[in-house]
Amino acid sequence: MTGSMEIKRRTRRELLLHDALAFFVLTLVTAALFVMTLFLFRSFTNHRAEEARAWTAKGQQTLYAGDAEDAVKAFRIALTFAPGTPANELLLAQSLAAAGPTHTEEAYNSFLGLWDAHPGDGQINLQLARLAARRGDPAAAVRFYRAAIDGRWDENGAVHRREGRLELARFLIAQHNNAAAREELLVVAGNWPRDEAVQGEVSDLLAKVGTSQ
Amino acid sequence: MSKATQVTPEENQLDARQMQQREERLFLLLSIFIGVIAGLLVVSFRMAIEWLQVLLLGSVSEPYHLRLVLIPAGIGLIIAIATRYVFPNVRGSGVNQTKAALYIHNGYISFRTVIGKFLLSALAIGSGHSLGPEDPSLQIGAGVASLISRRVGISRRKLRIFAPVGAAAGLAAAFNAPISAILFVIEEVIGQWSAAVLGSVVLSAVASVVVARSFWGAEPMFRIPEVVLRDPRELLAYAVLGLAGGIAALIFAKTIGWLHPWLRKQPSALRILQPMLAGLIVGGIGYFGFPQVMGAGYDAIDQAMHSQFTWEMLLMLAGLKIAATSISFSSGTPGGMFAPTLFIGATLGAALGMFEKKFFPGLNGSIGSYALVGMGVLFAAFLRAPLTSVFMVLEVSQNYSIVLPVILANTIAYTLSRSLQPVPIFELLTKQSGMVLPSMEEIREEDELRLEDALEPVTVPVVEDSNNVADAMQVMGQEGVVMVHCGDGRWYVMQRDEIDGSGRDTLIKELTHGERTPVLYPDLPLAKALPHLERWDLLPVISRAGGALEGVVTLPGLMKRDHNSLSGD
């Protein structure tokens, strides 16, 4: 009986040792695996960051050089390496818009995507207005022009709003909607009474409205 | 003794209770270790895929580069040779293989299979084969669990439980979403909620996600744009998405269902060339202008969610992805179907969102919402995991305002897919592989028979145990049995031969010797009564409220009920 108890006690001790050793080995394996994973992860994230930087620089270079097609390609690649970078998303959409009629639809979609996240952004609304005009959708164009005028601008908000309103007026004239165009022009003239350049431009456009009437 | 059985000499020395206590102590701790190690392996696996993609295809996959065709084809040949001669068990996605380990091999997955799955799946996906890393991650996790539990010397009985624990850990790390992974393992691997494993499954899944997030951050797997239901009329569009998703899932399932067995029955010499030919075709699709279709396609999913494609292009991508994945998967190249399913769903959803924006500008739901719901739709309809599909979208978007569109679209897609393709894809593939594994869809919907289903009215006489033998003899009649209601409120069933030979004035309670029938309630499963029917001819079933006698169950009654249920009642 005592012998059997002793065997059991020894067995339990051995089993405890076995389990402790097993967990020690598991801890070592975990540590080794962690180091390996960290190395792989660090090396790859660094690689991605470098690629994103390089392609963004290339995109900006080509966009300023007037090669919008190549800029589109570069910004797309930059975004695959650094998804969700707001500056690159905007630059891609602008490149698409600048790349001509073949990319109008993609540009419009890109700006719509940005608009979903920033519906009050003046720049995005203005771009959408221009693209909607290019797509032959005057109702959407007017809606986006107005949103751009009322929207948020990071700097020179007053100037951007004035330019946006003048652009809307020109668009309305082109659409033969002279009454609405006149209203917009009168608002601009009222807001900038001492700016001779603006007054001159408004006068020219008002004259155009009058002539076409 | 099978390979899976590990009985250490120490086990023989200790009794079963002590061994059980030891295993229970180890079980939860091991679950955490399994979660951590599976999480690290899955992060490494994903990094290996990304590195291989850069090394093999270059940083940028642009069309009209010959390597887009040559690399997947060449790697396909290497994979075929390795699959045939070195790692014979790594074919397929990993979900069915994990189920087979659970139901056929007692939870056993070899270390060689884990290594093979890691290497060959990474090579296949990294070289551009249209497959995903999630299902292999699930098998890698299950393999790690199997290996660890064997090495620690867990008993054969418990060994089986570790496979789903590891599977949940692997999938949770791959998805960066623990709830979806747990639900998927319950829906598709175990088939039913089981308290015995749930705690460990949760523990390992959470541990693996914590590890994965320490690398990837807490952000969801995809960059989720603004997700909102702006106009209730959009629900109509989501219903259309459900229909479209159901049809797309059907086409996808039918294509694989036809192509997979057809390729498998080709001559052996031709079969070894199939991954190469698959690589050639998928690479060709990439070469001729659609490199987005190659690999897992996460970048394209992200772009689709963020309105980077026209709706025509999105539809084209969805169609080509169905073709490319069907070919890659059916060729026997190891890799999963989750990522392609999400790709098809996202592109289909985004296409519908774009279409709506273009032709119904009044409804201005975000394209990202449609892409996200689309992913859930395909998950529900193709993989046939409806609960996981809903939670996956909610967990990935971290936004509950989308729950209504998700449930609506997923239900439509799931119902459509179920009625047009009664056999789910995983079950179909199992059958084509010559295995018979339990149907998870059937297990989920199994309605367990309960005692109330076999309840019979009380036709035998009832006496109080304060009565004497004469009273009992008087009411006993032809049946020769009475039910005795004891003073403590419980019951005893007395046969005539127990009374025979006793004095007429003997009290019944003296003949019961304190023995009682088991306490049975109507809501208990039939199986609860079976072990007692050897001792008792009939068993009283009492109400949980007040203990009133509801009826009795007998062996012939149980057998009759079971037979009826088997024959469709």
Side-chain angles (χ1 to χ4, degrees), chain A residues 5-208:
Chain A
M5 288 293 283
E6 180 55 34
I7 291 172
K8 275 197 172 178
R9 206 171 295 134
R10 205 177 59 226
T11 309
R12 211 174 297 143
R13 218 172 24 240
E14 279 171 7
L15 212 51
L16 206 67
L17 196 70
H18 167 268
D19 290 348
L21 194 68
F23 279 106
F24 179 68
V25 171
L26 271 178
T27 310
L28 286 183
V29 168
T30 309
L33 210 56
F34 181 81
V35 172
M36 190 192 88
T37 309
L38 193 66
F39 169 72
L40 266 173
F41 184 79
R42 286 258 168 91
S43 63
F44 193 71
T45 43
N46 290 341
H47 169 79
R48 279 178 78 92
E50 273 170 33
E51 290 280 355
R53 265 195 302 274
W55 284 102
T56 304
K58 191 178 175 191
Q60 281 169 333
Q61 220 173 349
T62 44
L63 185 62
Y64 296 139
D67 189 351
E69 283 278 359
D70 272 1
V72 166
K73 213 179 282 178
F75 287 125
R76 270 201 206 287
I77 296 167
L79 277 168
T80 62
F81 288 113
T85 314
N88 281 356
E89 281 183 339
L90 189 62
L91 282 167
L92 171 64
Q94 284 171 343
S95 308
L96 283 165
T102 48
H103 289 286
T104 302
E105 211 53 35
E106 277 176 279
Y108 192 66
N109 289 334
S110 278
F111 275 113
L112 276 181
L114 292 171
W115 185 88
D116 279 334
H118 311 283
D121 189 292
Q123 177 67 32
I124 292 169
N125 276 295
L126 184 64
Q127 293 284 0
L128 276 168
R130 287 172 184 162
L131 288 165
R134 203 195 284 175
R135 291 170 74 235
D137 186 352
V142 171
R143 197 172 68 241
F144 285 124
Y145 270 125
R146 290 201 195 287
I149 293 163
D150 297 332
R152 181 182 54 77
W153 293 85
D154 288 337
E155 50 192 23
N156 295 331
V159 176
H160 284 302
R161 289 191 181 92
R162 181 191 73 202
E163 293 305 319
R165 206 178 283 280
L166 283 172
E167 198 173 320
L168 170 60
R170 279 193 287 271
F171 176 71
L172 289 168
I173 293 168
Q175 295 291 313
H176 308 293
N177 191 348
N178 291 337
R182 185 179 293 111
E183 275 176 31
E184 299 299 338
L185 290 169
L186 290 174
V187 172
V188 175
N191 286 347
W192 300 81
R194 289 188 196 87
D195 192 317
E196 285 179 14
V198 173
Q199 291 297 330
E201 193 174 356
V202 169
S203 303
D204 286 349
L205 288 170
L206 279 171
K208 223 182 236 180

Side-chain angles (χ1 to χ4, degrees), chain B residues 440-457:
Chain B
M440 294 301 133
E441 209 158 47
E442 280 171 21
I443 288 181
R444 285 203 300 269
E445 284 155 21
E446 241 170 33
D447 197 10
E448 191 178 25
L449 285 177
R450 298 180 187 280
L451 289 176
E452 62 195 354
D453 299 314
L455 212 57
E456 296 170 38

Side-chain angles (χ1 to χ4, degrees), chain B residues 489-504:
Chain B
R490 292 184 59 186
W491 294 85
Y492 184 85
V493 177
M494 186 164 276
Q495 306 288 336
R496 185 187 296 279
D497 55 3
E498 293 177 65
I499 300 176
D500 288 344
S502 304
R504 290 181 61 82

Side-chain angles (χ1 to χ4, degrees), chain B residues 491-545:
Chain B
W491 294 85
Y492 184 85
V493 177
M494 186 164 276
Q495 306 288 336
R496 185 187 296 279
D497 55 3
E498 293 177 65
I499 300 176
D500 288 344
S502 304
R504 290 181 61 82
D505 294 331
T506 312
L507 292 178
I508 298 289
K509 77 170 82 168
E510 288 170 24
L511 299 177
T512 61
H513 308 294
E515 193 183 4
R516 302 287 183 266
T517 56
V519 178
L520 295 173
Y521 300 112
D523 57 293
L524 293 176
L526 289 191
K528 280 276 178 196
L530 276 174
H532 304 287
L533 285 166
E534 197 182 346
R535 161 70 183 89
W536 309 96
D537 283 347
L538 58 91
L539 288 166
V541 177
I542 59 170
S543 162
R544 284 189 186 270

Side-chain angles (χ1 to χ4, degrees), chain B residues 421-434:
Chain B
Q421 167 89 15
V423 184
I425 188 70
F426 285 126
E427 207 179 316
L428 190 71
L429 293 170
T430 309
K431 283 180 182 159
Q432 288 173 354
S433 309

